[in-house]
Amino acid sequence: MQILIFLVIGWAAFAVCTSILGAIDRVVQEGNER
Amino acid sequence: VYDLIYAFALLIVALALSWPLGRVMAAIARPSRDQPDWLDRAMTKVLGPRALAEQTWKGYALTLLGFNVVMFTVTYAILIFQGSLPLNPAGKPGVEPSLAFHTAMSFATNTNLQHYSGEVALSYFSQLFGLTWLQFVSAATGIAALAAIARVLGPIGKIGNFYRDLVRFTLLLVLLALLVGCVLIVAGTPMTFAGPVELTTLEGGQQTIARGPVAAMVAIKQLGTNGGGFFGPNSAHPLENPSFFTCALENLSILVMPMASLWMFGRLTGRMRDAWVLFAVMAALFLALVIPATLLEAQPNPGLADLAIVEGRGNLEGKELRFGSAAGPIWAVTTTATSNGSVAAMHDSLNPLTGLMPMIGMWLNVGFGGVGVGLLGMLLYVIITVFIAGLMVGRTPEYFGRKVEVREMKLAALALLLHPFLILGGTAWFVATHLGTETMSNPGSHGFSQVLYEMSSAAANNGSGFEGLADNTMPWNLVTGLWMFLGRYLPIILPLAIAASLASKQRVPESVGTLRTDSPTFGVMLFGCVVLLGALLFLPAAVLGPIAEQLEMSR
């Protein structure tokens, strides 16, 4: 069970980072459009 | 004096070696001109025609993250199931999940913070195909990110392709590591798949001597500024670092790639003068730590001053005398200023103020920094300095002929503030609760320093430790694992976004009002900016830890 929990924590960290990347991309895109 | 000459010699030889290497790295990172070269043709054949297609910054960053998820997952699985995998002559069982999580994250992020002793906990398979593999590809990931930024900001004007960069830089690292590894083998570092040796000592006792494929790991741990050693004591262990010669070679290997990254950046952007200014600032920061560390460690430990022992060679506790007494502090600064994290002396035993120097190295993280990522960190400081300088002269700040505006500043500030947030927030959390206090081996200010050092090491992706800390616990593994993650990927993604944002703007023609970033004046401003920001952020923590300890001992 613990094996899965820590694997999921690692994946979740990457998933959060990917969504932050999306947010940063929107900031950059909005700046370009302006 | 000889110790300082040794430190200067290391810097100069590293500079001489890094120059041609930077030229090679720039050639590797450049897109093929007319015809794809043999490597591009081979990659297209194996991976398909779309594998080397040009990417957007977001595509590049996503591919980088995607590859890193795979790196993490594969290594985690190898560590968990090592008991059933081959190359395990000593029959090591699988690694406990929180430690496996921490170790996989640690090596994927180029940190190599180790909460285990390699010779006790890991099989040869885990060491080679879990960890050493990551030491190559995580270092290549850092260089790739820098190459992408240099390409998009410079005359090439394109981000490039992550897989192309990854494969090319990994191959370069393999060649370099092969060279250094062979020299290490000749110098006495073991490289074998045979199990530990059982022998009878002269006193008649039984001793088990661990060995294994050590030279392979030591070569890349230094070249890739990874730092994770085969044995628990790292490069203080006589089989990882047998003599003064190997010590100098390994210390040199730590410095070469971060320096070469600078020259690659200068060549790809067509701005070698900028690269020289950055080199001067980084070298000044490096020397500003090495010189005091060497001088401070030449003093005996005040706590031992009344004992009837000769202390003429300075503080010898925790040192390996086969390297000479100053190799410890010089290595301590080299390894932390460059985000390497291997150790050749016990950092916990350094005099308090000497111990502060490696901490400063990790707080600033740009005294050459890690391969590729050190310069990414410095570029964030450059953006901040350009902005401050712009405010001072009342003009719109510019970098690479593009206006630095609100969104670049927001992203740069976010990336820079993350670092102290992780270090200071994490330290405050752990020293205020039993999570940290129960794991310290010293009370008071030295215990505080232990926690502060560990958090700094994780956030700066360094990997060294004060080592007095009992850090293989679930909370430490989880928190420093996540800190390494945040301290790695956001400072890669944010500069990529900033560079893409800058590159999408119109070039502003240079005029007399433009603040040149390739002048000594800018270098001085940049140096001041790094030091001032560092001092403002971290001085209070330094006072509570190493400075308080020094004052207590000198009373």
Side-chain angles (χ1 to χ4, degrees), chain B residues 32-108:
Chain B
S32 301
R33 283 201 185 129
D34 309 318
Q35 292 283 318
D37 60 17
W38 66 271
L39 197 54
D40 281 350
R41 282 201 301 275
M43 281 187 74
T44 314
K45 212 172 221 175
V46 176
L47 300 171
R50 283 172 53 202
L52 299 185
E54 178 65 25
Q55 293 177 308
T56 60
W57 86 266
K58 193 181 170 189
Y60 196 97
L62 277 175
T63 322
L64 186 151
L65 280 176
F67 180 70
N68 278 257
V69 178
V70 176
M71 281 157 60
F72 163 78
T73 310
V74 170
T75 305
Y76 181 76
I78 289 177
L79 294 173
I80 293 283
F81 298 115
Q82 71 171 5
S84 322
L85 293 170
L87 288 179
N88 190 2
K92 307 266 166 65
V95 178
E96 183 270 318
S98 82
L99 180 61
F101 164 81
H102 180 270
T103 307
M105 205 52 111
S106 174
F107 281 74

Side-chain angles (χ1 to χ4, degrees), chain B residues 114-128:
Chain B
Q114 294 166 293
H115 286 174
Y116 62 90
S117 274
E119 71 274 31
V120 179
L122 298 188
S123 71
Y124 295 166
F125 190 89
S126 296
Q127 296 263 36
L128 276 184

Side-chain angles (χ1 to χ4, degrees), chain B residues 27 29 34 43 62 158 175 208 215-216 218 274 335 351 362 373 430:
Chain B
D34 309 318
M43 281 187 74
L62 277 175
K158 290 174 182 168
L175 286 175
T208 307
V218 174
D274 276 70
T335 195
N351 280 332
M362 295 187 288
V373 288
F430 272 60

Side-chain angles (χ1 to χ4, degrees), chain B residues 24 26 145 179 187 195 220-221 236 245 255 290 304 330 332 372 435 437 450 472 476 515 551:
Chain B
V24 173
L179 192 71
I220 185 59
K221 86 167 183 194
F245 168 72
L255 285 168
V290 161
L304 304 176
I330 291 171
L435 298 179
T437 49
Q450 288 179 329
N472 184 18
W476 271 115
L515 176 83
L551 293 173

